[in-house]
């Protein structure tokens, strides 16, 4: 349900940026890129070249490559269902399916979860765009809605770790290392380091003998 206020903020921001209201619903339905869509608003309003849009999309959405390493796509049955599940893999869907409770979810439940999140996002973005003209021009912070949602999901994930504190510590260390050594490509470097760290920890702990 958190997709509703986020979509409303996105739709209102689209109209306030000078774009037509239908652009919000079309973008939400076909692009469905979350953070990239917020970035795309400014690029479209500024008539940025397609090459710049393509590079920005690759950099921002590259994190989904790493999501695929642990997203339970193998539970989803059928080629068409797998295709849609891959398309609708978002940060929010990954965060929800990566919890301890989600390990028992069926492929049908995962697919319906993604479908309704997609529907909520596209519908609320359209409504937000239609009502965007009612939002005063002096209102600020709409572009921060997505960051706020990520912060809430991160807090929920940390609470669900049940003592597995090294994971957020590892994530913070990777982010700091990427910021220090790869400032120009911080996002990609941080995800690459984090993935390498998770794989190294997995193989290291997996080789430990089990205790009775």
């Amino acid at each position: 349900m958190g997709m509703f206020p986020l979509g409303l903020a996105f739709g209102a921001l689209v109209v306030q940026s000078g774009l037509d209201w239908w652009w919000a619903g079309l973008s939400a339905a076909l692009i469905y890129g979350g953070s990239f869509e917020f970035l795309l608003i400014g690029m479209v309003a500024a008539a940025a070249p397609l090459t710049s849009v393509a590079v920005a999309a690759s950099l921002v959405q590259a994190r989904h490559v790493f999501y695929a390493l642990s997203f339970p796509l193998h539970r989803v049955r059928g080629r068409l269902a797998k295709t849609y599940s891959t398309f609708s893999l978002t940060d929010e869907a990954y965060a929800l399916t990566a919890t301890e409770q989600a390990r028992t979810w069926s492929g049908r439940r995962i697919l319906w979860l993604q479908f309704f999140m997609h529907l909520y996002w596209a519908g609320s973005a359209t409504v937000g765009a239609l009502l965007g003209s009612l939002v005063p021009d002096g209102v600020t912070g709409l572009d921060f809605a997505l960051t706020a949602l990520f912060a809430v999901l991160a807090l929920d994930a940390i609470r669900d770790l049940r003592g597995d504190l090294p994971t957020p510590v590892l994530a913070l260390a990777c982010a700091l290392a990427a910021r220090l050594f790869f400032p120009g490509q911080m996002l990609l470097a941080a995800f690459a380091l984090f993935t390498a760290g998770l794989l190294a920890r997995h193989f290291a702990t997996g080789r430990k003998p089990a205790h009775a």
Side-chain angles (χ1 to χ4, degrees), residues 53-174:
V53 175
V55 171
S58 299
L59 293 176
V60 174
Q61 301 299 95
R63 65 191 185 279
H64 289 192
V65 175
F66 302 102
Y67 290 169
L69 297 176
S70 55
F71 182 75
L73 184 64
H74 60 280
R75 300 184 205 162
V76 180
R77 304 299 180 186
R79 181 176 299 179
L80 183 61
K82 286 181 178 292
T83 300
Y84 177 75
S85 182
T86 302
F87 165 75
S88 57
L89 174 57
T90 60
D91 304 282
E92 296 80 9
Y94 177 80
L96 292 175
T97 55
T99 61
E100 182 72 22
Q101 295 85 348
R103 294 183 179 180
T104 59
W105 289 0
S106 64
R108 181 185 296 271
R109 181 172 181 177
I110 294 173
L111 196 63
W112 278 111
L113 167 73
Q114 293 181 276
F115 171 76
F116 277 109
M117 293 181 71
H118 191 185
L119 181 64
Y120 295 158
W121 171 249
S124 58
T126 303
V127 174
L130 291 173
L131 300 178
S133 58
L134 302 179
V135 179
D137 294 335
V139 175
T140 60
L142 292 177
D143 53 346
F144 189 74
L146 190 65
T147 305
L149 178 61
F150 286 166
V152 173
L153 289 174
L155 290 175
D156 288 341
I158 292 176
R159 292 171 182 170
D160 192 58
L161 289 175
R162 298 180 181 179
D164 190 18
L165 188 59
T167 297
V169 173
L170 176 62
L172 179 60
C174 292

